[in-house]
Amino acid sequence: MTFSDQSSVTPTKKSPASSSISQQAQTFQRSEEVSRNLGEPYLQVENVHKTFGQFVALRDIHLDVYPGEFVCLLGPSGCGKTTLLRIIAGLEDQTSGRIIQAGKDVSKLPAAKRDFGIVFQSYALFPNLTATQNIAYGLQNAKESKQKIQTRVEELLELVGLEGFGQKYPSQMSGGQQQRVALARALALSPGLLLLDEPLSALDAQVRVKLRTEISQLQKRLGITTVMVTHDQSEALAMADRAVVMDKGYIAQVGTPRTIYQHPNTPFVANFIGVMNFLHGVVVTSNQVRCGNIILDVSQNEASSNQAVTVAIRPEDIQILRPDSPELALSNVVTAEVQAIEFLGSAYRVTLYPEGNAKELITIELSIQEASKVDLSANSLLKLRFPPERIQVFAA
């Protein structure tokens, strides 16, 4: 299965004009999905709208998820990602719109009648039941035979790496082990859809990284269609086939992690995914922007002359030039004064004031090896280059 490095935007519907843009974006998303030739979507979210009183939680959401795909719903608190997951699961009713799973409209079906397994942030294990009994719970409710239940539980314990833990109670297991039990329970009935509601957020950093790798590998091995909610951008970038970035109830961008990181469609997405430097400026020509007294060549710009814009570039894309570097003769070379240095273990994050634009700070990241070759003392001056092909320009 391969995924295109294209992406789509669905802006908030605030006017007839923005409604037209939204329809164009949805049409583009559908045509993009057809071009990937992945067959029919397994899960379709069609124009789902959700309000709580006067508060609009979701604004006409459209999303197709394909068989075997791992999709992450990503965004800040309050963006609507958990509400959308709960609507997919039937734990929350949508105000309007439809949920279609495996070609069947399940919009009005209760959660118990839908084909999914779910893992919650809090694990939600029965404290008075062993790991084996927790995993077997759904199988018992489905009236499976004792032999089939025993065989299936043993398979699942092995699948999640918990052989020998079957007789342990949740209180006798670590957070990571409890989450593995919760995952095994969600998979017990072989559902067509796996839903993960921030399953790693309660774990410490090392366990979180290890378990996200295990979940990704398991999902690929089983080929189960998966939708995960997370506010952790590193989780989405590491685990997802596609990420759905949400903001204030609408989808800001859908795309592969690489596309969203390298080609964000809006300043919000650019700022939310990773670290981004922003400089405010004005378009001089089709390929030049003035930021303060700095003139930057840019390779991509759709704004017109004299239009206010925001220039964006990732810290890792800014080049540090040595005094004898031949690149000093190129465009977009800026002198910047070191203001702060942050040691990150394997790298340094350096904050600087660029000369000619002293109102806006920029950040660069250096490996330990790179840092050893330059003067990083406070107030020292560095020569930086902003490669034109790495600069993005957004309308202000």
Side-chain angles (χ1 to χ4, degrees):
M1 182 180 296
T2 58
F3 296 88
S4 166
D5 271 352
Q6 298 295 324
S7 54
S8 60
V9 182
T10 306
T12 307
K13 294 179 69 176
K14 294 183 178 178
S15 66
S18 64
S19 175
S20 174
I21 294 172
S22 176
Q23 292 169 359
Q24 292 172 10
Q26 291 179 4
T27 300
F28 176 77
Q29 181 183 340
R30 292 189 188 100
S31 64
E32 176 201 357
E33 288 162 346
V34 170
S35 72
R36 283 198 294 258
N37 194 28
L38 297 178
E40 292 298 316
Y42 176 77
L43 176 70
Q44 295 170 276
V45 179
E46 293 191 347
N47 300 318
V48 166
H49 192 84
K50 177 64 179 179
T51 59
F52 295 97
Q54 298 298 313
F55 177 71
V56 180
L58 294 174
R59 303 172 185 268
D60 298 329
I61 298 295
H62 171 87
L63 178 67
D64 290 344
V65 181
Y66 289 87
E69 191 176 15
F70 196 127
V71 169
C72 278
L73 305 179
L74 176 68
S77 297
C79 71
K81 57 187 185 294
T82 298
T83 299
L84 178 56
L85 189 82
R86 289 177 59 83
I87 288 174
I88 292 171
L91 300 173
E92 191 77 56
D93 293 330
Q94 65 271 23
T95 303
S96 61
R98 298 196 303 165
I99 304 295
I100 299 173
Q101 184 178 349
K104 178 181 179 182
D105 188 342
V106 298
S107 305
K108 297 182 179 180
L109 290 182
K113 298 290 186 180
R114 301 193 190 190
D115 179 22
F116 71 92
I118 189 166
V119 178
F120 296 101
Q121 175 183 347
S122 60
Y123 319 144
L125 298 178
F126 298 110
N128 59 322
L129 301 183
T130 65
T132 291
Q133 292 167 333
N134 268 283
I135 296 169
Y137 187 82
L139 295 165
Q140 291 168 341
N141 285 345
K143 308 299 182 183
E144 300 288 357
S145 68
K146 289 185 178 181
Q147 182 58 48
K148 185 174 182 179
I149 291 173
Q150 180 181 345
T151 301
R152 181 61 174 157
V153 169
E154 289 174 355
E155 289 175 352
L156 289 164
L157 285 170
E158 181 179 356
L159 188 67
V160 298
L162 288 180
E163 305 97 318
F165 282 78
Q167 299 310 308
K168 290 184 177 292
Y169 289 91
S171 61
Q172 298 172 316
M173 293 183 286
S174 68
Q177 290 165 348
Q178 290 182 60
Q179 197 61 296
R180 287 182 179 91
V181 173
L183 180 60
R185 183 179 61 184
L187 296 170
L189 291 171
S190 300
L193 178 65
L194 178 62
L195 303 177
L196 306 173
D197 186 9
E198 303 207 41
L200 307 178
S201 61
L203 304 174
D204 63 61
Q206 288 186 334
V207 175
R208 192 161 61 242
V209 171
K210 185 175 186 295
L211 196 53
R212 81 184 185 195
T213 301
E214 293 178 5
I215 290 175
S216 294
Q217 292 173 345
L218 181 61
Q219 187 269 341
K220 292 293 184 291
R221 194 187 328 161
L222 298 176
I224 186 171
T225 306
T226 302
V227 178
M228 184 176 85
V229 163
T230 182
H231 65 273
D232 187 329
Q233 53 188 266
S234 63
E235 284 180 13
L237 295 176
M239 300 174 73
D241 293 315
R242 283 189 302 154
V244 179
V245 183
M246 299 184 65
D247 179 37
K248 299 176 183 177
Y250 70 93
I251 292 178
Q253 187 168 353
V254 181
T256 64
R258 182 187 294 273
T259 292
I260 287 178
Y261 185 82
Q262 294 181 344
H263 305 288
N265 281 348
T266 66
F268 166 77
V269 176
N271 192 44
F272 186 77
I273 303 294
V275 179
M276 183 69 86
N277 290 300
F278 292 103
L279 296 173
H280 295 89
V282 176
V283 175
V284 179
T285 67
S286 60
N287 60 356
Q288 284 190 328
V289 175
R290 180 189 298 275
C291 300
N293 294 325
I294 302 170
I295 299 292
L296 294 175
D297 288 348
V298 297
S299 60
Q300 298 180 6
N301 171 38
E302 297 181 358
S304 56
S305 296
N306 298 318
Q307 183 176 346
V309 294
T310 300
V311 170
I313 186 168
R314 298 283 184 194
E316 65 270 21
D317 289 333
I318 298 175
Q319 301 170 348
I320 299 179
L321 305 182
R322 300 182 68 176
D324 57 350
S325 173
E327 292 181 308
L328 287 170
L330 298 177
S331 63
N332 294 10
V333 175
V334 176
T335 302
E337 181 180 335
V338 175
Q339 298 296 307
I341 305 164
E342 187 178 359
F343 178 62
L344 303 178
S346 60
Y348 287 94
R349 181 173 294 159
V350 184
T351 304
L352 310 98
Y353 271 131
E355 289 187 349
N357 194 3
K359 293 183 179 180
E360 296 180 296
L361 290 166
I362 60 172
T363 299
I364 61 174
E365 291 185 0
L366 301 171
S367 68
I368 297 297
Q369 184 177 7
E370 290 173 324
S372 67
K373 299 176 182 178
V374 297
D375 180 8
L376 286 184
S377 58
N379 303 319
S380 62
L381 299 178
L382 298 180
K383 290 288 187 180
L384 309 178
R385 183 168 186 267
F386 296 56
E389 66 277 8
R390 297 296 186 181
I391 295 175
Q392 289 190 271
V393 180
F394 300 105

